[in-house]
Amino acid sequence: MASKKRSSRTKAPYLSIVLPMFNEEENIQPQYREIVAAIDPLGLDYEIVFVDDGSTDGSCDSIKEIARKDKRVKLVRFRKNFGQTAAMAAGIDFSQGNVLILMDADLQNDPRDIPALLEKINEGFDVVSGWRKKRKDSFIWRTLPSRIANWLISAVSGIRLHDLGCSLKAYRGEVIRQVNLYGEMHRFIPIHASWVGASITEIPVNHKPRRYGTSKYGIVRTFKVILDLFTIKFMGSYATKPIYIFGGIGVFLFGSSMLSGAAVILMKLYLNMSMVRNPLLLLTFMLIILSVMFILLGLLAEISIRIYHESQSLPPYRIREIINIE
């Protein structure tokens, strides 16, 4: 199946809980039990949508076993690993709820925080973001890089949240379904939502140490965040007026070239240094030009891929099978 699917069901549940996962076999059953224990007392009509992002262990079989007994449990299974952003996009596409809760399937997010998220939604907010105030991860390899990334994202985007990397978030359905997700942009969903006028707030949530399996995150993701920030800033500020950024960089480079040219001339006049035999100066400016070219090519590629997907209505994933989704 290569296209998005919308159910024809007339009565949608109030709440959809979406859980992207990859090789979380040992966590599936306890995660399901914790969600049911947290949501059943609220008396809400809800569904649980697992998105299997090409798992190679028994994760899919565990979900099928649960789904046979509980029709509120849905499964969207990918043909291969497409990444967390694609898994979240599929969960959003195949969910039916008026309110969506996105969370990890590794037991580190606590379903008991869901009622607090829903309270904020009922107060009128469109997006409620979880803040792992007391993280149970390695400080050096997980917490510190996350804090640096969150500071950078807040500074560039203007969206002041402490923990954009926390997957546990609540969204109004009409807001999150207006957000198109591609690449590795899942951590920026609140920023995308702000572009369509969403009101955003943040509340502290529990964070539990991982009990089973291994983390799929690492310090490398911090560098990916930095690269993604170029795209976020560009798409948020310059997508409809790219001449401002391209022209601005061009003016800056032209001004820099005038200053460097003047410096070379002064070095020739007062220090008797050759203008054509200054390899360090030549190398420096060659690297500057190359770095600018690569950044701009990256931004152009981001625009092109969005045009490609949106013009053809192609989702960034492919489905192998679907369970309990009408």
Side-chain angles (χ1 to χ4, degrees):
M1 181 175 179
S3 61
K4 294 183 180 181
K5 174 181 173 64
R6 298 292 187 191
S7 171
S8 60
R9 220 169 39 172
T10 56
K11 186 177 183 301
Y14 171 75
L15 179 65
S16 293
I17 302 170
V18 177
L19 298 101
M21 60 157 199
F22 176 69
N23 290 345
E24 299 288 357
E25 178 180 7
E26 295 174 298
N27 293 316
I28 299 302
Q29 293 279 354
Q31 181 76 81
Y32 164 74
R33 290 193 294 267
E34 287 188 9
I35 291 174
V36 170
I39 305 302
D40 276 359
L42 302 179
L44 300 175
D45 185 17
Y46 70 96
E47 64 180 1
I48 305 172
V49 182
F50 286 95
V51 182
D52 181 6
D53 187 20
S55 295
T56 56
D57 62 359
S59 297
C60 190
D61 293 333
S62 295
I63 297 170
K64 288 180 178 179
E65 181 181 344
I66 298 171
R68 282 193 292 267
K69 302 174 183 177
D70 188 346
K71 297 303 180 183
R72 297 173 301 183
V73 176
K74 324 292 183 182
L75 170 64
V76 179
R77 185 184 180 192
F78 286 178
R79 291 189 172 275
K80 70 180 188 71
N81 182 262
F82 286 96
Q84 189 173 5
T85 299
M88 285 186 176
I92 294 166
D93 291 340
F94 285 88
S95 63
Q96 300 293 321
N98 298 320
V99 175
L100 277 69
I101 300 287
L102 270 62
M103 62 187 300
D104 289 330
D106 58 7
L107 291 177
Q108 290 196 268
N109 293 146
D110 192 344
R112 291 176 297 179
D113 289 314
I114 292 177
L117 296 173
L118 295 178
E119 284 183 13
K120 288 295 182 181
I121 291 289
N122 292 332
E123 289 178 12
F125 291 100
D126 298 310
V127 179
V128 186
S129 181
W131 173 17
R132 297 166 295 182
K133 203 168 184 179
K134 298 180 180 179
R135 291 190 63 168
K136 305 299 182 183
D137 290 321
S138 166
F139 179 80
I140 297 296
W141 298 108
R142 295 290 303 279
T143 304
L144 181 59
S146 177
R147 289 180 180 177
I148 295 172
N150 283 307
W151 179 83
L152 285 171
I153 294 169
S154 295
V156 171
S157 69
I159 305 299
R160 303 295 176 182
L161 295 176
H162 292 88
D163 192 4
L164 277 159
C166 179
S167 296
L168 183 57
K169 292 179 173 68
Y171 302 90
R172 291 190 186 276
E174 67 268 21
V175 170
I176 189 62
R177 292 186 178 105
Q178 295 182 58
V179 176
N180 294 313
L181 298 177
Y182 303 111
E184 287 293 325
M185 291 297 174
H186 60 273
R187 60 178 68 86
F188 300 115
I189 293 178
I191 298 173
H192 284 271
S194 73
W195 294 349
V196 297
S199 57
I200 303 171
T201 190
E202 183 179 48
I203 63 171
V205 296
N206 297 317
H207 188 241
K208 299 181 291 185
R210 176 178 273 273
R211 290 161 54 186
Y212 309 110
T214 58
S215 174
K216 286 76 178 177
Y217 300 88
I219 196 169
V220 173
R221 291 216 168 191
T222 303
F223 300 103
K224 292 182 179 179
V225 169
I226 294 172
L227 294 175
D228 287 340
L229 277 174
F230 288 110
T231 302
I232 285 295
K233 183 61 178 177
F234 180 80
M235 297 303 295
S237 301
Y238 304 107
T240 58
K241 44 185 183 298
I243 189 61
Y244 286 9
I245 186 170
F246 292 115
I249 292 175
V251 170
F252 173 77
L253 291 175
F254 180 78
S256 298
S257 68
M258 293 297 98
L259 291 175
S260 65
V264 171
I265 292 172
L266 291 173
M267 291 168 68
K268 171 64 176 179
L269 293 176
Y270 293 99
L271 300 177
N272 198 30
M273 294 182 64
S274 173
M275 290 191 298
V276 296
R277 295 181 180 179
N278 199 329
L280 291 178
L281 188 64
L282 180 63
L283 176 64
T284 299
F285 280 95
M286 184 177 65
L287 292 175
I288 290 174
I289 292 171
L290 284 173
S291 66
V292 171
M293 289 178 61
F294 273 99
I295 291 173
L296 296 183
L297 284 173
L299 295 173
L300 289 172
E302 287 286 344
I303 296 173
S304 298
I305 200 66
R306 280 160 172 73
I307 293 173
Y308 170 76
H309 281 292
E310 294 180 16
S311 64
Q312 302 185 58
S313 299
L314 292 176
Y317 54 83
R318 298 294 182 270
I319 302 300
R320 180 183 296 274
E321 64 178 323
I322 297 171
I323 304 294
N324 284 350
I325 294 179
E326 301 175 5

